[in-house]
Amino acid sequence: MGNWLLPESLADVLPAEARRIEELRRELLDLYRTYGFELVAPPLVEYIDSLLSGTGSDLDLRTCKLVDQLSGRTLGVRADMTPQVTRIDAHLLNRAGVTRLCYCGNVLHAQPADLLSSRELLQIGAEIYGHAGFEADLEIISLVLETVATAGLSQPRLDLCHPGVVRAILDADPAAGACARDIIRLLREKDVPGLAELAQRGGCAIRPDTLAALQRLPGLYGGSDVIKRARHDLPLLPGVAAALDALQAIVDAMPEVTLGVDLADVGGYGYHSGVTFALYAEGWHDALVRGGRYDDVSRAFGRARPATGFSLDLRKLARGLPPAGQARAVRAPWGQDAALAAAVRQLRRSGEIVVQVLPGHEQSQDEFICDRELALRDGAWTLQTL
């Protein structure tokens, strides 16, 4: 193996793509600031018990762990920044009212999510703390749509879900609750026959009505009319009704948005507490943005706060966009002439890219196209068109 080889599912980001990612990062963080979001930057590594507080087992499996040489305690390299931002809100800022926080940083996964995914993500996101009403969910979803519009995406599709539907069904049947982990896995895979097989096992005596409700969930996918079908097909449990009401409120508030509903999207079951969403767009093989309400996570930090937010991988977003074009630049000779240095400095201060050609070398860059040249004419350094 050569020294230039990287570990599996990790990759370098080369100039054109790196510039596109950085431009997106700046644009999006500036966008979030116009909404009143404050930027925070938590550390890359934390004690594992803090990093995983309230997040369920999924994040634990994705987190790389190591031993702190100073304390002897186990550290984790963050696989998701949201728990860190929640800790900052609950423990450090400790505000009484609504707090809007945004962030952007690298995260590392112990395993790639799928064959096409990277283990290192550049995660950007925004969170609202302190408001339990649907207004906060609506603001977050609106910001998600403006985020992808800023990146140049057209006609995205937003799929909604609510873990309260599944939770209410499982809570109504103690036997189903005891098998919750297996049920969630089967629902995630939309494995309807697998649910029937699970119910026939001796250790998981799910009631027939519970099994029938669970088997209907994978079919409750499509347009907003799914909510009406769910009211007819699912048990009349208070938790189910409340979850469907929350979804309907979002649908009614956004009539111009292409919305879908997928009641078997249980990917964040152990983490989310309210309306969740996933945004899909042409050119990406899976969800580009994920988010939702997670009111219970901050309880682990000693201060329960309503919370909702979203995140996405900027590298993944950039990979699906058209290639970045070359930037216009000025070519200039290398030299120690004071007038040349002053001319170069003035051009750079005005926002121009000036590439000075070092002695004995030709310019060799993929990022820039030099369409002008700084040349000495009649004793003065002037711009010439190439």
Side-chain angles (χ1 to χ4, degrees), residues 314-330:
L314 272 183
R315 291 186 175 187
K316 180 178 178 180
L317 174 60
R319 282 196 299 270
L321 297 175
Q326 290 179 305
R328 297 174 64 241
V330 175

Side-chain angles (χ1 to χ4, degrees), residues 25 98 105 204 224 384:
R25 186 190 69 84
V98 171
C204 195
S224 57
Q384 308 288 328

Side-chain angles (χ1 to χ4, degrees), residues 2-323:
N3 292 336
W4 60 87
L5 294 178
L6 293 175
E8 200 169 331
S9 299
L10 295 175
D12 294 307
V13 182
L14 300 182
E17 186 179 2
R19 174 167 61 89
R20 168 63 61 83
I21 292 170
E22 176 60 17
E23 288 173 349
L24 275 172
R25 186 190 69 84
R26 295 179 190 178
E27 261 191 295
L28 294 179
L29 289 178
D30 286 345
L31 169 65
Y32 303 160
R33 186 172 178 82
T34 66
Y35 275 69
F37 285 80
E38 301 171 271
L39 181 65
V40 293
L44 180 65
V45 179
E46 284 198 40
Y47 290 125
I48 195 70
D49 48 358
S50 171
L51 198 61
L52 300 181
S53 295
T55 60
S57 61
D58 286 351
L59 192 59
D60 186 17
L61 296 174
R62 294 204 306 266
T63 301
C64 294
K65 303 172 180 69
L66 62 152
V67 175
D68 183 12
Q69 297 297 311
L70 297 179
S71 67
R73 295 175 60 185
T74 302
L75 303 177
V77 181
R78 66 187 180 203
D80 183 2
M81 293 181 70
T82 303
Q84 295 183 294
V85 180
T86 302
R87 172 182 55 76
I88 290 173
D89 170 73
H91 186 64
L92 296 180
L93 296 179
N94 201 28
R95 296 171 181 169
V98 171
T99 299
R100 293 175 172 87
L101 299 177
C102 63
Y103 55 88
C104 184
N106 290 85
V107 301
L108 180 67
H109 290 177
Q111 298 284 341
D114 53 57
L115 293 175
L116 299 177
S117 296
S118 172
R119 291 166 56 195
E120 183 182 14
L121 290 64
L122 181 57
Q123 188 180 54
I124 189 169
E127 321 288 335
I128 298 178
Y129 299 95
H131 185 71
F134 96 107
E135 296 86 359
D137 301 296
L138 197 60
E139 180 174 324
I140 283 293
I141 293 174
S142 298
L143 187 56
V144 167
L145 295 172
E146 192 158 353
T147 292
V148 296
T150 300
L153 273 67
S154 60
Q155 298 181 328
R157 175 188 173 89
L158 201 66
D159 278 1
L160 304 176
C161 188
H162 197 305
V165 173
V166 177
R167 193 167 289 125
I169 294 171
L170 296 182
D171 288 347
D173 185 347
C179 303
R181 178 171 294 185
D182 290 331
I183 290 172
I184 295 303
R185 175 179 56 80
L186 292 168
L187 286 175
R188 185 178 299 169
E189 298 168 356
K190 294 185 168 37
D191 186 354
V192 175
L195 290 168
E197 292 175 10
L198 180 67
Q200 292 170 3
R201 295 179 191 171
C204 195
I206 302 174
R207 294 197 314 253
D209 61 316
T210 302
L211 176 60
L214 293 172
Q215 288 179 314
R216 290 190 187 104
L217 288 176
L220 290 172
Y221 170 76
S224 57
D225 62 305
V226 166
I227 299 174
K228 182 177 180 180
R229 286 199 285 125
R231 293 187 193 277
H232 178 268
D233 294 348
L234 296 179
L236 298 176
L237 299 169
V240 171
L244 295 177
D245 288 345
L247 291 171
Q248 190 66 58
I250 297 294
V251 170
D252 292 343
M254 310 188 81
E256 74 288 353
V257 179
T258 303
L259 293 173
V261 177
D262 182 1
L263 294 185
D265 185 2
V266 292
Y269 176 79
Y271 177 79
H272 287 292
S273 60
V275 172
T276 65
F277 54 85
L279 184 139
Y280 298 87
E282 186 176 352
W284 286 268
H285 70 282
D286 63 353
L288 182 58
V289 187
R290 288 192 180 274
R293 182 162 288 278
Y294 56 99
D295 294 342
D296 298 326
V297 173
S298 61
R299 192 181 308 277
F301 300 111
R303 184 167 177 258
R305 292 263 282 171
T308 183
F310 73 91
S311 67
L312 69 146
D313 177 15
L314 272 183
R315 291 186 175 187
K316 180 178 178 180
L317 174 60
R319 282 196 299 270
L321 297 175

